[in-house]
Amino acid sequence: MAKKRKRSSDAPAAAAIEKPDDSAPQRPERTLFGFKDQPDSAAEPAPKDAGPFFRNKEKVLITCSRRIIYRYRHLMQNVVSLLPHAKKDSKVESKQSKGSALNELVELRSCSSCLFFECRKQKDLYLWMVKSPAGPSVKFLVNAVHTMEELKLTGNHLKGSRPLLTFSSNFDQQPHWKLLKEMITQIFATPKDHRKAKPFHDHVFVFSIVDDHIWFRNYQISVPHNEIDKVDKGGLDKMTLVEVGPRFCLNPIKIFGGSFGGPTLYENPFYVSPNQIRALEKRKKAGKYAKKVKAKVRRKMHEMENTLEPDEFADLWKGED
């Protein structure tokens, strides 16, 4: 019968010695600019009280009303092409109940904002800029519309690149302009890590206030690529701006506290609806016609009051024929 082998006295000491880790170190994350160095977790421990990491998941739903004309539809398509984080949807009927339908549509498409182009009488274009579902929402009248197809400008930038947003100093003067600036920033600024966005900036969105209207312009940042004229980092002297389009002007009408409605936070006292402008023009034209009719009546009254005396030589040459 075989005997059990006796363990040596130094066996527990050998088991206590740990074997060295011969596995390869973990490969760092690869980015567009090469391999990303891993932070030294032992040297800089993460603070325990640090809050959760914020990630911008802004998505914008862009849609329009039925019976929209082609110029306004082309403007909407230009805005969709400028915003890589936008989602386009089918047309919505422009009724009083459009707010509930659009809120439900925004929730179904997992969006947090909405741009709704509403066309009325095939003449006037209104833009609803909405933060869903809690609000606020702004209603604009859109004027001076020029699409990319109409302008045919020489500027050109990559589709999906992130824009730089610039605002005039007027936006910091009054509270309603500050609110509009924050809404425009959240809607038109492309999130950093969006899957359809390019990781660089090559164009600028310019929002400026002139005569209580917001004017929009889109410019390409043109940089020379020759070896002689190459621009160093931070050198803005050789950079130029070339306009791309589109162009439009926003006239704010009302700011509501909710989504597509709610309490009125601000109302523009200088706003005049296009219907009133057309009515005034019709009255002016009707005034011209009324003046002509009154002139004819005055002429007849003058002829009746000042009758001509009979001419004694009127029948002088009648009998000679």
Side-chain angles (χ1 to χ4, degrees):
M1 192 172 176
K3 291 182 180 182
K4 231 178 194 183
R5 187 176 177 182
K6 292 183 180 181
R7 291 187 179 182
S8 59
S9 58
D10 55 339
I17 300 173
E18 296 181 357
K19 293 182 178 180
D21 188 10
D22 297 335
S23 60
Q26 186 179 359
R27 191 175 186 180
E29 183 183 355
R30 187 170 185 176
T31 62
L32 293 173
F33 303 103
F35 289 103
K36 188 175 181 181
D37 297 333
Q38 290 184 346
D40 191 1
S41 57
E44 298 178 0
K48 296 181 180 179
D49 298 335
F53 176 72
F54 172 74
R55 184 178 180 185
N56 188 2
K57 296 183 179 180
E58 182 75 24
K59 295 177 184 176
V60 184
L61 178 69
I62 299 180
T63 183
C64 64
S65 62
R66 294 190 181 276
R67 293 174 293 277
I68 189 172
I69 62 175
Y70 70 96
R71 290 186 71 246
Y72 298 154
R73 189 179 69 250
H74 291 175
L75 174 66
M76 184 191 69
Q77 291 173 353
N78 292 341
V79 174
V80 171
S81 65
L82 291 177
L83 305 179
H85 60 293
K87 292 185 178 181
K88 187 180 175 184
D89 208 287
S90 57
K91 297 179 181 178
V92 179
E93 192 67 39
S94 179
K95 294 181 180 178
Q96 291 184 353
S97 60
K98 65 178 180 292
S100 58
L102 284 168
N103 282 329
E104 186 177 356
L105 192 61
V106 169
E107 186 179 358
L108 288 174
R109 297 300 300 270
S110 301
C111 296
S112 56
S113 306
C114 179
L115 292 177
F116 178 59
F117 292 84
E118 183 179 7
C119 184
R120 292 184 182 177
K121 297 184 178 180
Q122 295 187 346
K123 296 178 182 178
D124 309 324
L125 179 64
Y126 297 90
L127 173 63
W128 284 85
M129 192 179 294
V130 180
K131 294 295 294 181
S132 183
S137 56
V138 191
K139 185 178 181 181
F140 297 98
L141 175 67
V142 186
N143 296 320
V145 175
H146 300 282
T147 61
M148 292 183 182
E149 291 80 7
E150 293 176 0
L151 295 172
K152 295 182 180 178
L153 297 170
T154 56
N156 186 20
H157 59 78
L158 289 177
K159 187 175 181 180
S161 58
R162 298 174 63 202
L164 296 173
L165 269 64
T166 61
F167 297 89
S168 61
S169 59
N170 309 356
F171 277 95
D172 297 328
Q173 293 180 357
Q174 297 182 7
H176 65 279
W177 291 124
K178 291 181 181 179
L179 176 60
L180 291 177
K181 178 181 178 181
E182 182 63 30
M183 290 186 65
I184 291 172
T185 303
Q186 293 186 17
I187 291 175
F188 283 87
T190 305
K192 181 180 179 182
D193 297 324
H194 195 271
R195 59 188 182 85
K196 291 184 180 179
K198 305 293 190 301
F200 45 82
H201 305 272
D202 67 343
H203 63 290
V204 185
F205 289 166
V206 180
F207 297 91
S208 54
I209 299 175
V210 180
D211 297 333
D212 293 327
H213 291 61
I214 300 176
W215 297 80
F216 172 82
R217 294 291 184 270
N218 179 25
Y219 296 98
Q220 174 200 357
I221 303 174
S222 179
V223 182
H225 294 285
N226 300 331
E227 290 296 331
I228 303 172
D229 300 332
K230 206 164 185 181
V231 179
D232 298 331
K233 282 189 176 181
L236 303 177
D237 300 334
K238 297 181 180 179
M239 292 186 183
T240 56
L241 296 179
V242 184
E243 188 173 357
V244 182
R247 298 176 180 175
F248 55 88
C249 173
L250 301 177
N251 184 11
I253 303 173
K254 282 186 179 182
I255 301 177
F256 301 97
S259 179
F260 290 101
T264 303
L265 303 180
Y266 170 78
E267 185 174 359
N268 189 359
F270 305 106
Y271 170 71
V272 181
S273 68
N275 293 330
Q276 294 180 358
I277 295 173
R278 285 191 288 266
L280 290 173
E281 291 177 354
K282 285 184 179 179
R283 285 176 190 172
K284 287 182 180 178
K285 292 179 180 178
K288 290 182 180 179
Y289 177 72
K291 287 179 181 178
K292 289 181 181 179
V293 173
K294 288 180 181 178
K296 286 182 180 179
V297 173
R298 284 198 302 268
R299 180 63 183 171
K300 285 184 180 180
M301 294 293 293
H302 179 75
E303 289 177 356
M304 290 173 64
E305 291 174 358
N306 304 291
T307 55
L308 294 173
E309 295 179 359
D311 188 6
E312 56 181 0
F313 299 107
D315 300 330
L316 183 63
W317 309 104
K318 267 189 177 181
E320 294 190 2
D321 293 339

